[in-house]
Amino acid sequence: MAAVGTEARGGEGWRAAPLNIPRSPGKLPRPRKRGRDPWGRQSATRRNAAFHSADTLAPKGAPRASPFPRSLTLLTARPARSPQSPPAPRFRWARSARPAPRSTVSRSLEVPRTPWPGLRCPLGRRPLPAWSPCGGIRAAAAAPAWCVPCLVSLDTLQELCRKEKLTCKSIGITKRNLNNYEVEYLCDYKVVKDMEYYLVKWKGWPDSTNTWEPLQNLKCPLLLQQFSNDKHNYLSLVNKGKAISLKDNNKALKPAIAEYIVKKAKQRIALQRWQDELNRRKNHKGMIFVENTVDLEGPPSDFYYINEYKPAPGISLVNEATFGCSCTDCFFEKCCPAEAGVLLAYNKNQQIKIPPGTPIYECNSRCQCGPDCPNRIVQKGTQYSLCIFRTSNGCGWGVKTLVKIKRMSFVMEYVGEVITSEEAERRGQLYDNKGITYLFDLDYESDEFTVDAARYGNVSHFVNHSCDPNLQVFNVFIDNLDTRLPRIALFSTRTIYAGEELTFDYQMKVKPQSGKNVFSSLIVAFVIMVSNIKVSAASKSGFQYS
């Protein structure tokens, strides 16, 4: 982070906020010898004069102090003097007994320090050996190096930067936008001398900088509309079954209404960030949207989005096929399903044509056919835009489609953590006590493994149960041909229109059909199809069949 307006002789230099570090448990590396260059090239007193302003080492006569608390000083990058010179920026311990020169700005930030191994610092741009979930600030003078963690959110860091007049490109605070004021949301409302005012929360600024602004100065019609809608929704909740009359001549809002509006605004921001995170993690074409117009519930705190099975410790998933087809047109040639003893599962419109219980064998990574192969459907992922929404019937979160889905089309895959059946029994008792169900038994041929989507999953984690579902379960084999570990695909059973909730039957039991039964079912379907064609032709020609 750089202090705004700081310049040093011979070039630009900056000095960041010293960080008061609380004592951390465990023994830490001591700083280098006082008065020596941490890079080991020359003494600190013989450095280039352009960088003297950032040096805050204590004088030689200063008493030796305890290593905590100390102020952490961020120094500018030195010009490269040799190929061995480490890259910038560099960080080192510095005693605060000596006051900083006038050309620098010194600030104090309270940052907790907690061990967290093996992550990267967004500020230091270098890998860190230990401490903190997001990295932190690297202490270059200590050997081995350690860092100060960033245990606060990005918003808090931005607010601290603006409050202390510091810049940091890594978190989006530059000299250009340091003093920018953008309305994040509206907190309150009042009328003074027949003039309407709104209490504005500025984006990237702490709550202490909120200001009352006249309505004529606000150029944010969407936020004004959201403020009005939130106020109306609160009054609707409070006055259930009663007529609502919005009195615009009130001089100020009640504290309860203003508190609800602020909570709703914060929830909306949190859901938007969660939506962005889901779309960053997904690997399919369909977009994911999130909305909650029912209550103040925010994103789930213990859910991690994944795109494929996550094996539990001790379980190995072999995602590499042993053979593949060499078809030029898999729709007409002997393809992977024929090698497995079943027929191709899809028609030319990419709709499933086999009955439930029949396995689907798609072309895999060893097949010579391209990505446009008609036997590659599930592996392409969800093609429809879906919305995770808060239901109004007390079922928590649900999933609805934002576009029309044709019947017998692939919608999504059910993924989660693959665990043993014994572990599933143990977790099932815990889930039953909480009234939740996320366990899906992989019982296509045996009952050895179970998919648990409670903590790890995709959009299917939020699909609710229904006794009249519009989704059907199918077992799919692609790269992993182990019949104990099929992939679970959900196909539409009928046409699903935009805005309709997606559901499947949690108690659905689909037993695998033998080759004879599959063949018989297909023969019956073929006979029915031919009969329908004859009846249609006869109707057009005037004949009737009895």
Side-chain angles (χ1 to χ4, degrees):
M1 287 186 278
V4 178
T6 303
E7 297 182 357
R9 297 185 300 273
E12 293 185 357
W14 44 269
R15 179 178 183 277
L19 297 162
N20 295 330
I21 313 297
R23 180 179 290 274
S24 174
K27 186 176 180 181
L28 297 173
R30 297 175 63 182
R32 292 179 183 269
K33 191 173 181 180
R34 184 172 68 253
R36 298 293 298 174
D37 184 7
W39 295 345
R41 291 194 302 270
Q42 57 185 357
S43 65
T45 57
R46 297 183 59 188
R47 280 197 204 114
N48 191 306
F51 306 100
H52 270 288
S53 61
D55 189 2
T56 60
L57 289 176
K60 293 183 178 181
R64 189 175 183 84
S66 173
F68 297 100
R70 291 184 178 180
S71 57
L72 192 65
T73 304
L74 174 63
L75 304 179
T76 49
R78 271 73 170 176
R81 299 174 182 266
S82 65
Q84 291 79 19
S85 300
R90 300 288 291 188
F91 305 87
R92 68 186 181 85
W93 286 106
R95 300 182 186 273
S96 57
R98 178 180 174 183
R102 292 184 179 179
S103 60
T104 63
V105 177
S106 176
R107 298 287 185 269
S108 295
L109 303 178
E110 296 293 336
V111 180
R113 187 167 170 274
T114 308
W116 201 289
L119 291 164
R120 180 177 295 273
C121 170
L123 303 179
R125 304 177 186 174
R126 296 176 63 116
L128 298 166
W131 308 94
S132 93
C134 66
I137 301 179
R138 178 169 177 151
W146 61 285
C147 68
V148 177
C150 300
L151 298 181
V152 294
S153 64
L154 180 63
D155 285 345
T156 304
L157 289 176
Q158 291 178 344
E159 292 173 2
L160 290 172
C161 283
R162 285 196 165 96
K163 182 179 180 181
E164 305 299 331
K165 302 298 182 183
L166 302 175
T167 63
C168 180
K169 293 182 179 179
S170 299
I171 61 176
I173 304 298
T174 61
K175 292 182 179 180
R176 288 186 176 183
N177 64 13
L178 179 64
N179 294 318
N180 286 359
Y181 288 87
E182 178 184 352
V183 179
E184 187 171 19
Y185 56 86
L186 304 175
C187 307
D188 205 347
Y189 169 85
K190 67 179 181 180
V191 178
V192 178
K193 296 181 179 179
D194 296 332
M195 183 175 290
E196 296 179 284
Y197 288 86
Y198 286 87
L199 183 60
V200 176
K201 168 64 173 67
W202 301 105
K203 187 176 182 179
W205 291 87
D207 292 340
S208 58
T209 61
N210 294 357
T211 58
W212 288 96
E213 301 294 334
L215 175 60
Q216 60 188 13
N217 293 348
L218 298 178
K219 309 299 180 183
C220 48
L222 178 60
L223 294 180
L224 290 169
Q225 184 63 41
Q226 289 177 349
F227 185 91
S228 177
N229 293 341
D230 293 341
K231 180 176 67 172
H232 184 273
N233 292 337
Y234 176 82
L235 295 176
S236 300
L237 294 174
V238 173
N239 303 313
K240 287 185 178 180
K242 300 179 182 179
I244 302 174
S245 59
L246 298 178
K247 299 180 180 179
D248 296 331
N249 56 351
N250 290 342
K251 298 298 182 181
L253 290 181
K254 294 181 179 179
I257 301 178
E259 181 181 1
Y260 174 84
I261 291 175
V262 171
K263 289 181 178 180
K264 196 65 181 177
K266 292 182 178 180
Q267 178 212 46
R268 193 178 293 112
I269 294 173
L271 293 179
Q272 181 62 45
R273 290 175 181 165
W274 184 41
Q275 174 180 305
D276 296 339
E277 178 67 16
L278 295 178
N279 285 285
R280 280 193 298 267
R281 292 183 177 274
K282 72 175 180 65
N283 61 357
H284 50 77
K285 177 182 177 181
M287 296 296 294
I288 303 174
F289 296 87
V290 180
E291 70 175 32
N292 184 357
T293 59
V294 176
D295 52 28
L296 295 174
E297 185 72 18
S301 59
D302 194 22
F303 174 74
Y304 306 93
Y305 192 92
I306 58 176
N307 294 290
E308 56 187 11
Y309 283 162
K310 175 182 174 62
I315 298 178
S316 176
L317 297 180
V318 181
N319 290 322
E320 184 176 355
T322 56
F323 65 91
C325 69
S326 57
C327 306
T328 57
D329 190 345
C330 295
F331 195 78
F332 296 101
E333 300 181 29
K334 186 177 180 181
C335 193
C336 297
E339 295 292 340
V342 296
L343 297 180
L344 187 68
Y346 310 112
N347 60 20
K348 292 183 178 181
N349 296 324
Q350 300 183 350
Q351 296 170 305
I352 194 166
K353 62 181 183 180
I354 58 177
T358 307
I360 300 174
Y361 282 85
E362 290 194 356
C363 293
N364 54 59
S365 56
R366 288 187 175 271
C367 296
Q368 298 182 9
C369 54
D372 296 331
C373 171
N375 195 31
R376 297 180 184 269
I377 302 297
V378 174
Q379 57 193 271
K380 292 182 180 180
T382 301
Q383 303 296 304
Y384 305 101
S385 294
L386 305 177
C387 178
I388 302 172
F389 73 105
R390 196 71 175 173
T391 61
S392 58
N393 57 2
C395 293
W397 295 101
V399 179
K400 63 182 178 181
T401 177
L402 300 180
V403 295
K404 179 182 177 180
I405 301 177
K406 295 181 179 180
R407 64 183 299 271
M408 311 306 288
S409 299
F410 170 69
V411 179
M412 70 180 73
E413 188 176 354
Y414 193 92
V415 301
E417 184 182 8
V418 179
I419 59 177
T420 62
S421 297
E422 293 77 11
E423 176 65 15
E425 290 294 331
R426 188 189 68 83
R427 297 188 184 185
Q429 295 177 1
L430 300 177
Y431 297 158
D432 290 342
N433 295 333
K434 297 179 181 179
I436 58 177
T437 303
Y438 294 106
L439 299 176
F440 202 116
D441 294 330
L442 300 179
D443 53 359
Y444 171 68
E445 280 194 355
S446 61
D447 193 9
E448 298 183 32
F449 301 104
T450 299
V451 177
D452 183 7
R455 296 187 63 198
Y456 301 93
N458 59 2
V459 179
S460 62
H461 167 95
F462 303 96
V463 177
N464 287 319
H465 161 79
S466 174
C467 295
D468 183 22
N470 49 24
L471 298 179
Q472 174 68 46
V473 176
F474 283 85
N475 296 293
V476 185
F477 299 94
I478 306 177
D479 284 324
N480 188 351
L481 301 179
D482 189 348
T483 55
R484 302 173 302 167
L485 294 167
R487 295 169 65 167
I488 306 301
L490 300 175
F491 286 78
S492 60
T493 60
R494 56 176 176 81
T495 301
I496 307 175
Y497 297 95
E500 189 174 350
E501 183 177 1
L502 303 177
T503 59
F504 72 93
D505 187 359
Y506 289 177
Q507 305 298 326
M508 187 179 297
K509 296 293 183 181
V510 179
K511 296 182 180 181
Q513 298 186 7
S514 63
K516 182 177 179 180
N517 292 336
V518 172
F519 183 75
S520 301
S521 299
L522 292 175
I523 291 295
V524 172
F526 177 76
V527 171
I528 294 175
M529 180 182 66
V530 173
S531 300
N532 291 337
I533 293 176
K534 291 182 177 180
V535 170
S536 177
S539 299
K540 291 183 179 180
S541 59
F543 293 94
Q544 294 183 357
Y545 284 82
S546 58

